[in-house]
Amino acid sequence: ANIVQYAYEDNYAHINGVIQKYKKRAASNSVNEDFITKLDAPILIAPQAVQNHVTNAHDIAVQDIGNTLYLISNSGNILWKKQLQGKILGKIEQIDMYKNGSLKLAFATKNRVYILDRNGNDVSPFPLKFNDDITQPLSVFDYDKRKDYRLLVTQGKNLLMYDDRGKSINGFDYNSNGSEITSQPKHFRIGS
């Protein structure tokens, strides 16, 4: 890199110059392509990073327009594919249902609630099948951070709650006001 400055004033001339070897700076906030993975069909939902409990890295879950769910490693290898019955509603949640650090993928489609293991296999007794349409994404609650998960399914004006073993929760009684539930239910804790 060369820089030259020339200044002339009152019969005096000054020339300053620098000749220096150029060092390229590392670009900050840049995007690098790490891999390219070809799927069987165009994607249907935005790719989502999910934690890999084995490597502590993140893998990528994505669904194509043929309703096939893919889990792709952080190096671009397709780890598995699974045919689903419909589009995933909302985001995929991760739960440690056996309390051993092994994370499972939990999500809902229009008529099913799925829990899949690390290899893409259904965790029994899932998927749960529903006759009426599920209208909002699956809500997963862990009230006391003890990994005692509650799965909340929204069907129009109704809410159904299940434990992570697929059993209906006794004592949960949602009193509908007769209006459609228009957003995914959330749990808020105030104080203790």
Side-chain angles (χ1 to χ4, degrees):
N2 299 322
I3 300 172
V4 177
Q5 178 186 25
Y6 177 79
Y8 180 80
E9 186 177 327
D10 297 329
N11 295 326
Y12 288 99
H14 299 279
I15 299 175
N16 296 313
V18 175
I19 299 175
Q20 184 176 348
K21 185 175 180 182
Y22 175 73
K23 294 182 183 177
K24 185 176 180 182
R25 283 191 211 170
S28 62
N29 297 328
S30 64
V31 176
N32 294 325
E33 183 178 290
D34 284 339
F35 60 83
I36 296 175
T37 302
K38 184 159 177 58
L39 305 180
D40 298 337
I43 65 171
L44 177 63
I45 63 170
Q48 180 182 336
V50 292
Q51 184 177 352
N52 180 330
H53 65 269
V54 176
T55 64
N56 286 328
H58 284 86
D59 294 331
I60 300 165
V62 66
Q63 186 180 19
D64 71 17
I65 60 171
N67 293 323
T68 300
L69 177 64
Y70 299 81
L71 187 66
I72 303 168
S73 73
N74 62 1
S75 60
N77 298 321
I78 296 176
L79 300 172
W80 51 260
K81 302 188 245 187
K82 181 165 186 75
Q83 185 64 45
L84 303 178
Q85 299 297 317
K87 176 186 176 192
I88 294 174
L89 302 174
K91 290 191 152 213
I92 297 171
E93 301 286 339
Q94 288 190 274
I95 62 174
D96 182 4
M97 65 189 286
Y98 296 126
K99 302 178 185 181
N100 62 2
S102 175
L103 297 175
K104 312 288 185 246
L105 304 178
F107 56 90
T109 62
K110 187 176 176 180
N111 295 101
R112 291 188 174 40
V113 171
Y114 289 89
I115 295 184
L116 304 179
D117 68 11
R118 174 84 195 118
N119 300 315
N121 300 315
D122 293 320
V123 176
S124 184
F126 295 90
L128 300 179
K129 297 175 185 171
F130 295 86
N131 292 327
D132 296 328
D133 289 350
I134 298 172
T135 56
Q136 295 296 327
L138 179 68
S139 293
V140 178
F141 300 151
D142 182 9
Y143 295 120
D144 298 315
K145 303 291 182 206
R146 294 185 188 157
K147 300 179 182 177
D148 293 323
Y149 300 100
R150 297 294 180 253
L151 308 175
L152 194 63
V153 176
T154 306
Q155 292 185 309
K157 302 174 185 177
N158 299 313
L159 292 176
L160 308 170
M161 187 176 284
Y162 298 89
D163 65 12
D164 56 7
R165 304 293 190 253
K167 303 274 188 222
S168 183
I169 299 295
N170 293 328
F172 177 79
D173 187 23
Y174 174 70
N175 294 321
S176 173
N177 66 1
S179 298
E180 287 283 317
I181 299 169
T182 59
S183 62
Q184 179 181 9
K186 299 195 182 316
H187 174 252
F188 295 96
R189 179 184 294 274
I190 299 173
S192 59

